Amino acid sequence: MMNRILFACLFLALSTESSSLSCRWMDHKFRQHNEETLNLIDTMAKNSTNTTEVEVTVPFPNHLYHQVSKSSVEDKLAFTVQILEEVAALFEEDHSSASWEDSTVRNLLNIVNKQAEELRSCIGSHSHKKKTTKLHMYFKRLSHHILKEMGHSAEAWEVIRKETKAHLMRAEQLASSLHTAH
């Protein structure tokens, strides 16, 4: 009987430890990487030529962030991964009209893709969760209504840069809420 209790306690301790180890990257590196991406986004603003202000015709999806803030840890992680993947897809589009250094965009993409990959590993077997369609449609509208309709102009990219910064800041808030959830 005592062996069974000891075995059960050992199993519980090991499974708890392994689940926390799988997201150790989240606890230690996510914020650091996010700060790097925000710095790169700010550098892009400094390198932008004087552009005219463009009205954003695609409203920020605050309601989606509000919904996911009440969700499970796995759903928050999956949502954050999707944000990072969608941001990466945007910045892989033609940005030749923007006055940014190619190396800055490459660094941004490398860090964002690394974050998405590491967070996906934190989700584990739940990583094949269905993506949030509304979030995907929001990013498609950014791509179509801002970038494509404005010919991937410097002004359009400045809108995308600002929207991306807002998403990265909100992703940081989501990640911070996960620290209290562990």
Side-chain angles (χ1 to χ4, degrees), residues 41 78 81 86 118 136 152 164:
I41 292 287
V81 167
E86 300 282 1
E118 294 291 343
H136 179 68
H152 290 82
T164 298

Short mmCIF file of all heavy atoms in Angstrom, two decimals, residues 41 78 81 86 118 136 152 164:
data_model
loop_
_atom_site.label_atom_id
_atom_site.label_comp_id
_atom_site.label_asym_id
_atom_site.label_seq_id
_atom_site.Cartn_x
_atom_site.Cartn_y
_atom_site.Cartn_z
N ILE A 41 10.62 46.76 -34.24
CA ILE A 41 9.47 47.50 -34.78
C ILE A 41 9.70 49.01 -34.60
O ILE A 41 9.42 49.80 -35.50
CB ILE A 41 8.16 47.06 -34.07
CG1 ILE A 41 7.82 45.61 -34.46
CG2 ILE A 41 7.01 47.99 -34.37
CD1 ILE A 41 7.30 45.41 -35.85
N ALA A 78 -2.15 28.91 -27.87
CA ALA A 78 -2.48 28.70 -29.28
C ALA A 78 -2.80 30.02 -29.97
O ALA A 78 -2.39 30.26 -31.11
CB ALA A 78 -3.65 27.72 -29.42
N VAL A 81 0.45 31.90 -30.49
CA VAL A 81 1.17 31.30 -31.61
C VAL A 81 0.56 31.79 -32.92
O VAL A 81 1.28 32.17 -33.85
CB VAL A 81 1.14 29.76 -31.54
CG1 VAL A 81 1.61 29.13 -32.84
CG2 VAL A 81 1.98 29.26 -30.38
N GLU A 86 0.68 34.84 -37.96
CA GLU A 86 0.01 35.80 -38.84
C GLU A 86 0.90 37.02 -39.08
O GLU A 86 0.98 37.54 -40.19
CB GLU A 86 -1.34 36.22 -38.27
CG GLU A 86 -2.34 35.10 -38.06
CD GLU A 86 -3.05 34.62 -39.31
OE1 GLU A 86 -2.77 35.14 -40.41
OE2 GLU A 86 -3.91 33.72 -39.18
N GLU A 118 8.68 27.88 -30.40
CA GLU A 118 8.87 27.51 -28.98
C GLU A 118 7.53 27.45 -28.24
O GLU A 118 7.32 26.56 -27.42
CB GLU A 118 9.81 28.50 -28.29
CG GLU A 118 11.24 28.45 -28.80
CD GLU A 118 11.96 27.16 -28.45
OE1 GLU A 118 11.52 26.42 -27.56
OE2 GLU A 118 13.01 26.90 -29.08
N HIS A 136 -7.66 35.06 -38.07
CA HIS A 136 -7.09 34.86 -39.41
C HIS A 136 -7.72 35.83 -40.42
O HIS A 136 -7.01 36.43 -41.24
CB HIS A 136 -7.29 33.41 -39.87
CG HIS A 136 -6.75 33.15 -41.23
ND1 HIS A 136 -5.40 33.16 -41.51
CD2 HIS A 136 -7.39 32.90 -42.39
CE1 HIS A 136 -5.24 32.91 -42.80
NE2 HIS A 136 -6.42 32.76 -43.35
N HIS A 152 1.26 48.01 -51.45
CA HIS A 152 2.41 47.72 -50.58
C HIS A 152 3.29 48.96 -50.39
O HIS A 152 4.51 48.87 -50.32
CB HIS A 152 3.23 46.53 -51.11
CG HIS A 152 2.51 45.22 -51.00
ND1 HIS A 152 1.58 44.81 -51.92
CD2 HIS A 152 2.58 44.25 -50.06
CE1 HIS A 152 1.11 43.63 -51.57
NE2 HIS A 152 1.71 43.26 -50.44
N THR A 164 1.13 45.78 -35.89
CA THR A 164 1.96 44.69 -35.38
C THR A 164 2.46 45.00 -33.98
O THR A 164 2.44 44.13 -33.10
CB THR A 164 3.16 44.45 -36.34
OG1 THR A 164 2.64 44.05 -37.62
CG2 THR A 164 4.09 43.38 -35.80
#
